[in-house]
Amino acid sequence: MNDLELMRRAIRLARQGEGAVEPNPMVGAVVVSAKGEIVGEGWHQRYGEAHAEINALTQAKEAAEGGTLYVTLEPCCHFGKTPPCTDAVLRSGVRRVVVAIRDPYPKVAGGGLRILEKAGLDLTVGVAEDEVRSLMAPYLHLLSTGRPWVIAKWAMSIDGRTASRTGHSRWISNEHSRQKGHELRGKVDAVIVGRGTVVADDPLLTARPPGPRTPARVVFSPSGMLPAECQLTRTIDAAPVVVFTHKGEGVDRLKSWKKAGAEIVALETTGHAFLLDALADMGRRRWTNVLLEGGAQLLGAFRDAGAIDEVWAFIAGKIIGGQAAYAPVAGIGVEKVTDAPTLSEVVVESCGEDVLIRGRVQRSDPKLS
């Protein structure tokens, strides 16, 4: 196997940590002996536990001597939840290290590579770089923007409706699609809805069954005009509830939510700035992925603010029709179709009779991708 094939093997290993390692990145590692045999494999399995390199080198033991370490991200060189990985790499006796990308985290930022190079190891950097940047996009986005990666999700009929003209929407998607949505919830740091969704649907917003993460349940309500009691306020013990509102009347109206145990975050801004300030607050909490579930007004506001990074659209083979039926994304929208952002890395999956289309929003600034 060549360098590219072995790095892609490390990428597949890294994906197994999805939802369990954040705010750390998903990282995979492969150790090849001096004879060219794979003698160790590992991935970062859970936040606070051993990194991928440690797991792979531990499995390889003495067989790593004189061999090559393939790792998707530059080994760390600082004490965090675990000791520096560079120390373990040097102790292992490997003579070559192949890295996909440098780690932009300020406490690393090339420092790990410099340590290995100074020790005389043969370094190769940039193998499968684009694939690893795609894998680590949420981690890289959080570091570069200070905001979490926003995944917008909705279910709609084949003619683009999320509800009939009367507002009836249960169920557009099938059970398979809904279960896939719950699996996604169990891998993110927060599930976000707007005031309208709370009023109309009284959602629970938990992952059922639970996943590797317990997402916070977030409500955007600048006015603070929410029901005094609902499923969210009655189930605070199941998962945290955070409400972003406007200073003043919004806070005053949410006394019952605060009494129930919800966290109330008051912002001074309005409009798009309100959304971006809320996302910045989430970034300071080191939330890496958040799931935006609606409704249409909130999805539209995020779209208009350029704050959606990824889309999961479940499409059911139903034709609802009606000019007054509901669409998934409201807001102002674009003036010309040619101005609409497009998706890249599009994946189409079958969910029984439904279809899932998911992809990432292309941006002109690659640093924000």
Side-chain angles (χ1 to χ4, degrees), residues 156-178:
M156 65 183 184
S157 62
I158 200 167
D159 59 333
R161 269 64 169 185
T162 57
S164 71
R165 58 183 171 79
T166 64
H168 186 267
S169 62
R170 293 191 177 184
W171 292 101
I172 287 178
S173 59
N174 63 22
E175 186 175 349
H176 188 159
S177 295
R178 296 196 297 276

Side-chain angles (χ1 to χ4, degrees), residues 62-282:
E62 293 82 6
E65 183 79 31
T68 301
L69 169 67
Y70 293 83
V71 61
T72 54
L73 184 69
E74 171 187 2
C76 69
C77 55
H78 67 289
F79 280 90
K81 295 287 184 180
T82 59
C85 288
T86 48
D87 291 354
V89 174
L90 294 175
R91 287 195 304 269
S92 73
V94 298
R95 297 308 305 156
R96 182 174 179 239
V97 177
V98 181
V99 174
I101 66 171
R102 291 176 171 82
D103 189 349
Y105 186 64
K107 291 184 178 180
V108 183
L113 294 176
R114 287 192 293 272
I115 289 172
L116 299 180
E117 185 176 36
K118 187 176 180 180
L121 272 65
D122 179 11
L123 297 182
T124 300
V125 181
V127 176
E129 179 177 355
D130 290 344
E131 294 171 52
V132 171
R133 286 194 176 278
S134 175
L135 171 74
M136 298 186 183
Y139 169 75
L140 298 173
H141 180 79
L142 178 60
L143 286 180
S144 64
T145 68
R147 302 194 300 268
W149 184 262
V150 177
I151 305 167
K153 179 182 77 71
W154 63 80
M156 65 183 184
S157 62
I158 200 167
D159 59 333
R161 269 64 169 185
T162 57
S164 71
R165 58 183 171 79
T166 64
H168 186 267
S169 62
R170 293 191 177 184
W171 292 101
I172 287 178
S173 59
N174 63 22
E175 186 175 349
H176 188 159
S177 295
R178 296 196 297 276
Q179 187 55 49
K180 203 166 189 68
H182 277 283
E183 290 174 5
L184 179 58
R185 280 183 182 177
K187 295 178 179 179
V188 301
D189 292 297
V191 179
I192 305 171
V193 296
R195 171 190 173 276
T197 297
V198 175
V199 173
D201 299 338
D202 190 17
L204 189 56
L205 302 181
T206 55
R208 305 183 294 276
R213 305 191 82 73
T214 300
R217 297 168 295 171
V218 175
V219 180
F220 276 53
S221 179
S223 70
M225 296 179 68
L226 292 170
E229 186 181 0
C230 62
Q231 287 203 95
L232 293 178
T233 59
R234 290 193 296 268
T235 59
I236 295 289
D237 291 342
V241 174
V242 181
V243 182
F244 287 94
T245 190
H246 196 270
K247 279 190 173 180
E249 289 186 351
V251 176
D252 294 339
R253 291 170 176 153
L254 291 167
K255 290 179 180 178
S256 63
W257 283 64
K258 186 174 182 179
K259 185 177 180 180
E263 179 184 355
I264 311 300
V265 180
L267 303 175
E268 295 182 348
T269 48
T270 59
H272 293 167
F274 180 91
L275 300 182
L276 297 177
D277 284 350
L279 288 173
D281 180 276
M282 297 178 198

Side-chain angles (χ1 to χ4, degrees), residues 156-159 172-173 314-320 353-355:
M156 65 183 184
S157 62
I158 200 167
D159 59 333
I172 287 178
S173 59
F314 292 91
I315 303 174
K318 297 180 174 72
I319 303 174
I320 294 175
E353 296 78 18
D354 293 355
V355 172

Side-chain angles (χ1 to χ4, degrees), residues 10 12-18 21 26-29 41-46 50-53 55-56:
R12 290 193 294 272
L13 290 165
R15 291 189 187 281
Q16 297 184 63
E18 184 180 12
V21 302
M26 293 179 280
V27 180
E41 295 183 321
W43 66 95
H44 186 26
Q45 298 182 11
R46 187 170 296 279
H51 290 184
E53 305 95 306
N55 290 328

